[in-house]
Amino acid sequence: MASNGVQETFAVPNVLAAMLTMRSGDNDKKKIAVDYLGRFQKSQDAWTTTISILQSSSEAEAQLFAATTLKGKITYDLGTQISEADLPALRSQLLLLLKKFASGPKPVRVQLCVCLAILAIQMQTWKDVLPTVVTALGNDVASHACILDFLRVLPEEVTEGRKITLSEEDLAQRTTELLADNAEQVVQLLVNYAQSSPAAATNPQLFECISSWLREVPVRVIVNSPLMNAVMHGVTDDKSLMAAADCLGIICRETKDVDDNLQTIQALLPRVLELRPRIQALVDEDDTEGFKAITRVFADAGESWVLIIAREPQHFRPLVDCLLECCARDKEKDVIGYTFTFWYELKQYLTLDHYIEARLQLVDVYSNLVDIMLQQLEYPPSDNPNELDLFDGDREQEEKFREFRHHMGDTLKDSCQVMGVAACLSKVHDAIKVWQEKYGSQATPTSVAHWQSLESPLFAMRAMGRMVESDDSSVLPQIFPLLVQIPISNEKLRFAAIMVFGRYTEWTAAHPDFLEPQFQYIVSSFQSDSSEILRAAAQSFKYFCVDCKQLLGPQVIQLQVFYDQILDKLPDPSKEEITEGVANVVGVQKTEDLFKLLKLYCDPLVQRLMAKANSATDNKAKLDLADHINLLTYFVQHVVPYIPANVENPVVKYWQEVFPVLSTILDNFIDCVPICERVCRCWRFMVISFRMAITPLLGPLANKLAEGFAQSRQGCFLWATSAVLREFSEDRDQVEDGITQSIYVFFEAQATSVLRIMSDLPPSDLPDVIEDFYRLLIDALLYYPARLIPSPLFTPIFQAAVSSLALEKQEPVSAALHYLRDLLTYGGPNPAGSGNDLGPASQQLRQIVKHLLLSQGDALVKQTLAGMMITFPRDCFADGSGVLLGMFELLPQETAQWVDRTVRLLPAGTMTPAEADRLLAKIKEKLHGSDSANLRQIRVILQDFTNTYRRRYVAPRDGLGQLEAARFHFAG
């Protein structure tokens, strides 16, 4: 309605004027035009106005807008705005428009074909769809393109879940009528068209059409028809190569169930192998796109037939060789990536004992593949041996090359599994020796000739690292002495060597003789000015400290000197990595030395921390301070000795000294979210790492968490609270009752603070708090059910969870749903915390939960269904339907009534009463049975219903109306 109460009209000139405004630079006018066009697209007038524009306007943009709008009307509004008696007239209008636009523009023509296809799906009385369309469009050449477009889009619209109003049963019937019943007729139409002229036989539209119908037509029918010759001819024609190759690839993929398609595969194999000469031809022509298309065909065939390749390796070896040739001839490194999945899938079979014979026959293929990859891994060549920017400043190309190399690394791992690691590493060793023999003598302190051919095997060795067993002694003892001699003047070579050392630290830990030269190579690399080298050195340093911590233990004092000197030079991620490394070394020292070692390592960190806090006045300095807190957390995580319960823990003693510093920083920066999060993270790990030993800090810690949340309203304080709740719960050994009681009182205080905030602010302002709150409540329900469920907070917590379901953000909605699902289990015989013996209290808890659901279940069902139909992120659907299933298990009759009531509240025009009645009849039918499987079927019914509704009702047009969530209010 217009603002004056008069029905708004949408004349053609006004709509065209609004479209013209959309091109202007006036944002205010554009916003008005967008709103106007949005209302137009939903209006009843849009039917006649769009058709008028298509009949009269000569402007392509207006035509496309009208066709797109008409598609939306037929998709969403056909059932509510057009009577069944008017459908034939609409069909006639569409056919006339298709005739008009048969020769183009193509985008308009395609949209009109989609319109007609969607109408055909919904117009169930229209039984002769194909004959009607073909007859109406005629037999002239211009109409052929239109018919092909319609034939192409019809299966796509039927099978790809369009937002139509048909029930699942009607849609299934219509699918059979439109696709299965027409398949034979469509194949004949396409054969006739392909044979009608040479131009038709290579028309890309023909192959797109075949591809679209391959889902409906048995693949053997296409392979044994004249269409197969057309496809193969199309692959040899430059005009149709791309479409024909795509079609051939789909044909191969349709034979993936090899046992059902053996004859078809035998017919296809020689046809696919016919294309092998095209590999060299396309490379010679520098036809990159054509080379990609051909490689994809071979890859599709290989992936689809990989099982039968493993069964009959000799017969299918030519196809494998085609793929190997594509990899070898890939000068631009554009197509080899298409083959990676095939090599992986084939490896999966060849490494099974059942296919050992095939492995023996194909092992040379993987050997050749490794040789090819060692070539493909090389950086581009350069005339200048010191040139490191080999991509002429094109960072996108450089990043693409790096990503490509990491994918190739995965394929090298596959080769290791087929050939054996020693064989692969021998190739690396040979490549390094070849470089040494050819160019090693030319290396100088300032340049390294042909460094690319040395860096490539280093990268390959790094990629293979995970495949090497720590007891391997075949090749690595020969390689590592060579690696520590790698020239250090070339940044990329040094980077590659450092990364190799870091990848093989587990092997080095088992071969301590090789540790010292490698570790010194890493340590000396910290003197570099290159940020890349520093990052690589820090990462490898961490791995050495983690995997070789026992071997490095005697150097713990020297390490601190190095750590303190180098720390401020490093970027933040590298600071964290070397800190994690030294913390691991400290963690394996004698217990009696830990206090003084922590003071040695951490006191300088605390001093830096206080200095940074005193000077942190801008955001950058505050973030730097927050990151520095993380360094202390690594020591909290990794210096965790075993101490008997009755003995003072020296590590906790040290953190008691540091706690006031962190508390003061928190007080001074309570409005800085990153600092709050890092301090809470540090405290949370103190609780997790030291458990009962942290008791001396428990009181001050709980106070700071409560104060911090009250002042900042940040969810991180709730996140830290959950760790305290878990570690000091009732079912933990050695926890005194008094401590348990105090912890629960602390939790209730935190929960009360949250509920007050949720009462003051809408959920959309508190997504992170809501997520952390309900994650905390999941723990509270698990560990303290006998205290939480009877408490006065139980009902408001439930109400707040229901109001939170109106959010459209996954994390908080998921957390609330998980809490609700766990809560529902306490209304039945198998509560989520059933590992705890609730004893006589279980019956009382069950009654409290059921009483709550009887009074609040209506709101829960309404909000859960509204979410599944309209607002939930997709990943929340399963938990939403789990809540509904839980409700049906506890209160079947009442829940059915609440579902009925909710469905009747849906916005007008989005669901007919008959559809609602049909849904409720299905639910009631399942409720009559006593089998628990019937209840699970109700879950499926509701999932199907909400999915169908969501497909149809894309977004709320005028708000959710009566489905809007009620605001949560808390009087506590």
Side-chain angles (χ1 to χ4, degrees):
M1 298 290 288
S3 57
N4 61 3
V6 178
Q7 181 69 39
E8 189 173 17
T9 57
F10 299 92
V12 170
N14 295 341
V15 173
L16 294 177
M19 288 190 62
L20 196 60
T21 303
M22 294 292 292
R23 301 180 201 165
S24 72
D26 189 327
N27 287 332
D28 292 336
K29 289 184 178 178
K30 283 170 74 172
K31 185 175 185 307
I32 294 171
V34 168
D35 291 341
Y36 175 81
L37 292 174
R39 294 194 303 277
F40 160 68
Q41 289 180 314
K42 301 162 193 168
S43 70
Q44 185 75 39
D45 289 353
W47 294 100
T48 53
T49 304
T50 52
I51 290 172
S52 296
I53 292 172
L54 287 164
Q55 288 173 334
S56 58
S57 176
S58 59
E59 191 177 332
E61 188 177 349
Q63 293 169 346
L64 184 58
F65 172 77
T68 304
T69 300
L70 189 55
K71 179 183 74 174
K73 299 299 290 181
I74 296 173
T75 302
Y76 303 118
D77 298 330
L78 190 73
T80 55
Q81 294 184 353
I82 300 291
S83 69
E84 196 166 336
D86 291 332
L87 292 179
L90 176 61
R91 177 181 62 191
S92 299
Q93 287 277 15
L94 283 174
L95 288 168
L96 288 172
L97 289 170
L98 267 177
K99 184 75 174 171
K100 174 187 175 184
F101 288 98
S103 56
K106 184 176 179 179
V108 179
R109 183 180 73 213
V110 170
Q111 288 297 312
L112 289 172
C113 286
V114 173
C115 288
L116 191 61
I118 300 172
L119 177 64
I121 297 167
Q122 297 182 77
M123 192 174 170
Q124 293 172 267
T125 56
W126 185 10
K127 302 298 184 184
D128 56 344
V129 173
L130 284 189
T132 301
V133 173
V134 171
T135 302
L137 292 177
N139 197 34
D140 55 276
V141 174
S143 294
H144 289 165
C146 194
I147 293 171
L148 289 172
D149 273 339
F150 177 74
L151 289 176
R152 176 178 63 81
V153 302
L154 182 61
E156 294 171 2
E157 296 304 314
V158 173
T159 59
E160 290 186 3
R162 294 293 171 184
K163 303 167 184 70
I164 53 176
T165 58
L166 295 184
S167 68
E168 296 296 327
E169 294 86 348
D170 288 342
L171 181 59
Q173 181 183 341
R174 202 66 183 133
T175 299
T176 300
E177 293 173 352
L178 291 174
L179 301 184
D181 294 350
N182 282 322
E184 189 176 336
Q185 183 182 351
V186 168
V187 171
Q188 193 56 53
L189 276 172
L190 296 178
V191 169
N192 293 343
Y193 174 75
Q195 295 175 340
S196 65
S197 70
T202 55
N203 183 354
Q205 279 186 286
L206 169 66
F207 306 119
E208 290 168 359
C209 227
I210 296 171
S211 297
S212 185
W213 277 85
L214 269 164
R215 299 176 240 190
E216 313 306 326
V217 177
V219 65
R220 68 178 184 280
V221 173
I222 300 296
V223 171
N224 295 324
S225 76
L227 292 176
M228 192 65 213
N229 288 331
V231 171
M232 297 305 301
H233 178 62
V235 178
T236 64
D237 188 281
D238 290 341
K239 181 180 73 172
S240 59
L241 167 60
M242 306 304 292
D246 282 345
C247 182
L248 183 55
I250 293 171
I251 289 172
C252 292
R253 292 202 297 273
E254 288 296 315
T255 62
K256 192 164 189 172
D257 294 330
V258 294
D259 290 320
D260 295 335
N261 293 284
L262 286 175
Q263 289 185 326
T264 304
I265 292 170
Q266 293 295 355
L268 270 174
L269 179 62
R271 307 305 302 265
V272 171
L273 295 177
E274 286 173 21
L275 300 176
R276 184 167 186 176
R278 292 284 283 158
I279 300 173
Q280 182 65 56
L282 290 166
V283 171
D284 292 342
E285 295 165 14
D286 286 329
D287 185 350
T288 304
E289 293 306 310
F291 185 29
K292 285 181 184 178
I294 289 291
T295 304
R296 276 198 299 266
V297 170
F298 290 126
D300 283 332
E303 288 173 38
S304 302
W305 305 339
V306 66
L307 172 58
I308 203 169
I309 291 172
R311 287 178 184 168
E312 302 179 36
Q314 276 190 309
H315 186 62
F316 284 87
R317 174 65 182 257
L319 175 60
V320 180
D321 289 338
C322 288
L323 282 158
L324 203 59
E325 183 178 347
C326 289
C327 295
R329 298 196 185 283
D330 183 15
K331 293 182 292 187
E332 301 300 321
K333 309 183 195 299
D334 279 326
V335 309
I336 190 172
Y338 296 133
T339 71
F340 290 162
T341 302
F342 167 73
W343 301 121
Y344 169 77
E345 297 284 353
L346 183 58
K347 177 268 298 185
Q348 293 289 80
Y349 284 107
L350 296 185
T351 50
L352 297 175
D353 291 343
H354 184 72
Y355 296 103
I356 186 65
E357 200 62 44
R359 181 177 179 177
L360 293 173
Q361 292 188 36
L362 296 177
V363 69
D364 66 306
V365 171
Y366 279 87
S367 179
N368 292 332
L369 181 62
V370 172
D371 292 334
I372 291 168
M373 285 192 288
L374 286 173
Q375 292 293 320
Q376 295 286 15
L377 282 169
E378 287 188 16
Y379 274 92
S382 170
D383 294 332
N384 180 357
N386 292 324
E387 177 65 46
L388 295 180
D389 185 1
L390 304 172
F391 298 89
D392 299 323
D394 188 337
R395 292 290 163 260
E396 187 177 339
Q397 273 299 110
E398 185 172 5
E399 188 57 38
K400 179 182 173 186
F401 177 67
R402 287 185 181 186
E403 185 179 349
F404 157 78
R405 297 218 308 172
H406 284 291
H407 286 305
M408 191 130 45
D410 292 333
T411 303
L412 280 168
K413 295 186 190 76
D414 297 333
S415 302
C416 282
Q417 289 184 267
V418 175
M419 298 169 57
V421 179
C424 282
L425 285 175
S426 293
K427 289 183 175 290
V428 168
H429 186 211
D430 292 344
I432 294 173
K433 287 197 297 184
V434 166
W435 179 88
Q436 281 189 318
E437 291 166 5
K438 280 188 176 181
Y439 310 112
S441 60
Q442 302 174 29
T444 72
T446 56
S447 71
V448 181
H450 296 277
W451 61 266
Q452 293 92 334
S453 59
L454 176 57
E455 192 276 345
S456 168
L458 294 183
F459 183 90
M461 185 177 175
R462 171 184 160 195
M464 297 173 193
R466 289 183 186 171
M467 311 304 298
V468 176
E469 298 291 339
S470 59
D471 60 354
D472 179 89
S473 57
S474 54
V475 186
L476 289 178
Q478 302 170 57
I479 294 180
F480 275 116
L482 300 178
L483 296 191
V484 293
Q485 301 171 34
I486 293 292
I488 63 174
S489 56
N490 183 288
E491 181 180 324
K492 290 197 182 301
L493 282 178
R494 190 170 185 105
F495 177 88
I498 290 168
M499 296 302 285
V500 168
F501 293 145
R503 188 58 62 89
Y504 285 80
T505 49
E506 289 185 20
W507 184 89
T508 302
H511 299 78
D513 293 347
F514 293 88
L515 170 64
E516 191 60 29
Q518 292 181 55
F519 194 62
Q520 286 308 314
Y521 192 98
I522 302 296
V523 169
S524 65
S525 298
F526 282 98
Q527 304 309 314
S528 171
D529 294 326
S530 162
S531 59
E532 287 281 317
I533 295 293
L534 287 177
R535 281 197 291 268
Q539 187 183 101
S540 290
F541 180 91
K542 180 187 79 170
Y543 291 136
F544 270 101
C545 290
V546 170
D547 292 330
C548 307
K549 54 193 170 191
Q550 301 289 352
L551 299 175
L552 292 172
Q555 302 181 37
V556 68
I557 304 297
Q558 298 96 304
L559 277 179
Q560 192 280 328
V561 175
F562 165 75
Y563 173 66
D564 196 49
Q565 289 174 344
I566 203 69
L567 185 65
D568 294 328
K569 178 183 178 180
L570 301 175
D572 286 333
S574 297
K575 287 179 182 177
E576 295 193 1
E577 286 178 324
I578 69 163
T579 302
E580 184 178 354
V582 295
N584 271 274
V585 177
V586 173
V588 298
Q589 303 305 305
K590 295 177 181 177
T591 303
E592 57 267 27
D593 295 335
L594 289 180
F595 182 79
K596 66 180 183 181
L597 284 173
L598 282 176
K599 288 191 73 65
L600 180 68
Y601 273 87
C602 295
D603 277 1
L605 294 180
V606 174
Q607 289 162 10
R608 284 182 176 90
L609 193 63
M610 291 189 290
K612 288 174 184 289
N614 290 332
S615 60
T617 55
D618 58 22
N619 281 337
K620 184 175 184 299
K622 290 177 183 178
L623 290 174
D624 183 42
L625 173 61
D627 288 336
H628 198 75
I629 295 168
N630 259 358
L631 303 186
L632 290 172
T633 306
Y634 283 109
F635 286 94
V636 173
Q637 288 177 271
H638 297 293
V639 185
V640 187
Y642 170 75
I643 306 291
N646 58 345
V647 178
E648 181 185 41
N649 189 311
V651 179
V652 173
K653 178 184 172 184
Y654 178 75
W655 295 121
Q656 282 179 271
E657 293 183 3
V658 175
F659 186 82
V661 177
L662 293 175
S663 297
T664 303
I665 289 173
L666 185 66
D667 292 338
N668 292 334
F669 296 95
I670 195 67
D671 58 344
C672 179
V673 175
I675 291 176
C676 291
E677 288 179 344
R678 300 308 194 285
V679 172
C680 285
R681 183 173 183 270
C682 186
W683 287 345
R684 179 175 179 271
F685 276 112
M686 284 185 190
V687 175
I688 293 171
S689 296
F690 304 112
R691 306 181 70 177
M692 295 303 108
I694 205 70
T695 303
L697 268 175
L698 204 52
L701 176 57
N703 289 336
K704 296 309 295 184
L705 291 176
E707 289 171 15
F709 180 74
Q711 292 177 49
S712 72
R713 297 183 172 185
Q714 293 300 323
C716 58
F717 292 94
L718 304 177
W719 180 58
T721 298
S722 68
V724 177
L725 203 66
R726 277 197 303 275
E727 296 302 332
F728 291 88
S729 61
E730 292 172 311
D731 66 334
R732 298 288 192 191
D733 294 335
Q734 303 174 339
V735 182
E736 298 174 11
D737 289 343
I739 293 178
T740 302
Q741 176 61 27
S742 298
I743 293 298
Y744 184 75
V745 170
F746 160 56
F747 155 72
E748 281 205 331
Q750 291 284 65
T752 302
S753 296
V754 178
L755 292 172
R756 285 172 181 158
I757 293 170
M758 291 182 70
S759 183
D760 292 340
L761 298 172
S764 56
D765 290 353
L766 301 165
D768 294 338
V769 170
I770 289 171
E771 178 190 355
D772 287 317
F773 182 48
Y774 283 100
R775 300 259 180 252
L776 168 62
L777 279 164
I778 291 168
D779 286 334
L781 190 63
L782 180 63
Y783 295 114
Y784 291 89
R787 295 177 192 253
L788 176 60
I789 292 175
S791 81
L793 294 179
F794 187 56
T795 296
I797 286 170
F798 178 90
Q799 293 169 331
V802 173
S803 74
S804 301
L805 299 183
L807 285 168
E808 297 183 29
K809 191 174 178 182
Q810 178 190 332
E811 292 82 3
V813 172
S814 179
L817 288 170
H818 284 177
Y819 170 72
L820 290 166
R821 291 190 70 177
D822 284 356
L823 183 153
L824 291 175
T825 65
Y826 283 88
N830 296 305
S834 56
N836 305 328
D837 182 11
L838 298 174
S842 60
Q843 186 60 36
Q844 179 199 1
L845 299 184
R846 195 178 305 177
Q847 291 304 317
I848 294 172
V849 171
K850 284 198 173 181
H851 181 73
L852 172 71
L853 296 178
L854 285 168
S855 63
Q856 306 287 332
D858 192 358
L860 174 60
V861 169
K862 184 182 84 168
Q863 218 49 56
T864 305
L865 267 178
M868 291 178 68
M869 289 185 288
I870 303 167
T871 60
F872 279 177
R874 182 158 296 280
D875 287 344
C876 295
F877 289 3
D879 286 316
S881 66
V883 167
L884 293 175
L885 175 62
M887 289 295 293
F888 272 108
E889 287 174 340
L890 294 176
L891 302 169
Q893 301 303 325
E894 292 85 351
T895 304
Q897 293 173 8
W898 294 329
V899 169
D900 189 3
R901 196 176 304 165
T902 301
V903 170
R904 310 292 176 183
L905 297 176
L906 288 168
T910 66
M911 169 156 290
T912 64
E915 288 177 293
D917 292 341
R918 188 159 57 240
L919 170 68
L920 270 299
K922 288 180 181 177
I923 290 174
K924 288 178 180 176
E925 178 188 337
K926 298 301 178 187
L927 287 179
H928 286 315
S930 58
D931 187 354
S932 61
N934 285 346
L935 289 177
R936 290 194 291 274
Q937 287 176 14
I938 292 178
R939 181 181 188 177
V940 173
I941 290 168
L942 287 171
Q943 282 179 321
D944 289 345
F945 163 72
T946 53
N947 285 338
T948 302
Y949 185 88
R950 198 177 181 96
R951 285 201 302 268
R952 178 198 321 168
Y953 185 64
V954 180
R957 294 185 174 181
D958 302 302
L960 296 183
Q962 297 180 75
L963 290 179
E964 291 284 0
R967 270 298 300 273
F968 168 68
H969 293 288
F970 178 59

